């Protein structure tokens, strides 16, 4: 398993709205991914932006069952362990649609073309200096098949000092 590492140091980057954001990126399974943590006055969020690199490919939805439908499809999942703890469920504002792959008698819940941003509310574990984020996803097309699935791709994020 390949691991990407990013340093979340102190007050690394401040956005215009007062949000501190830190990010790391990778590409796997034909999908470009950026993972970042944003700290806001109302709490912290772990965000993962996923974008299939080929037009016509769609990410499977968060709502796809763990085993897929009739064993087809891999649900999109995000989880963290270590220095960040989830305080709720992952959500997205991406629009869902149904994909019917050619030659298969199955309807799969996927997201429309383009970027899909997952949002997981988190809290920092006191004294922790890093966290691991795990992403699972796959992308499919109605006519060109599916891309290799990505299961539990680990991204290690080092957390800066809590005093910033």
């Amino acid at each position: 398993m390949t691991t990407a590492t990013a340093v979340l140091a102190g007050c690394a980057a401040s956005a215009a709205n007062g949000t501190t954001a830190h990010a790391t990126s990778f590409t796997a399974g034909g999908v470009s991914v950026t993972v970042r943590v944003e700290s806001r006055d109302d709490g912290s969020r772990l965000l993962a932006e996923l974008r299939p690199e080929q037009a016509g490919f769609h990410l499977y939805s968060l709502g796809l069952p763990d085993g897929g439908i009739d064993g087809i499809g891999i649900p999109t999942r995000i989880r963290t362990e270590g220095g960040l703890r989830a305080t709720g469920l992952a959500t997205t504002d991406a629009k869902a649609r149904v994909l019917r792959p050619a030659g298969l008698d199955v309807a799969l819940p996927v997201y429309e073309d383009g970027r899909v941003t997952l949002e997981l509310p988190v809290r920092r574990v006191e004294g922790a200096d890093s966290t691991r984020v795990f992403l699972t996803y796959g992308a499919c097309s109605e006519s060109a098949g599916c891309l290799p699935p990505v299961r539990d791709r680990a991204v290690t994020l080092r957390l800066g000092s809590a005093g910033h």
Side-chain angles (χ1 to χ4, degrees):
M1 177 182 333
T2 306
T3 301
T5 303
V7 178
L8 303 183
C11 299
S14 294
N17 64 2
T19 300
T20 302
H22 315 278
T24 188
S25 300
F26 66 89
T27 300
V31 176
S32 297
V33 180
T34 299
V35 179
R36 71 180 188 271
V37 176
E38 289 186 355
S39 298
R40 303 177 186 163
D41 291 339
D42 65 345
S44 295
R45 304 279 186 267
L46 180 59
L47 301 166
E49 293 180 357
L50 300 94
R51 180 184 300 273
E53 295 183 305
Q54 297 178 49
F57 280 82
H58 306 272
L59 288 158
Y60 292 109
S61 81
L62 289 166
L64 185 68
D66 284 335
I69 296 177
D70 294 335
I72 300 171
I74 180 171
T76 299
R77 299 287 185 258
I78 184 171
R79 65 184 176 87
T80 184
E81 56 185 50
L84 296 175
R85 294 280 190 254
T87 60
L89 299 175
T91 59
T92 184
D93 62 0
K95 294 191 185 272
R97 63 170 288 234
V98 173
L99 181 124
R100 297 180 190 282
L104 299 176
D105 186 25
V106 65
L108 301 168
V110 298
Y111 295 113
E112 291 183 350
D113 275 345
R115 177 178 44 97
V116 173
T117 301
L118 306 178
E119 183 173 320
L120 183 66
V122 295
R123 69 171 171 77
R124 184 165 175 180
V125 175
E126 189 172 331
D129 63 355
S130 68
T131 196
R132 293 189 75 191
V133 178
F134 297 89
L135 291 157
T136 295
Y137 59 86
C140 225
S141 159
E142 287 182 321
S143 60
C146 297
L147 300 173
V150 174
R151 297 185 199 309
D152 283 328
R153 169 68 189 255
V155 178
T156 300
L157 301 173
R158 280 192 245 158
L159 305 172
S161 64
H164 272 51

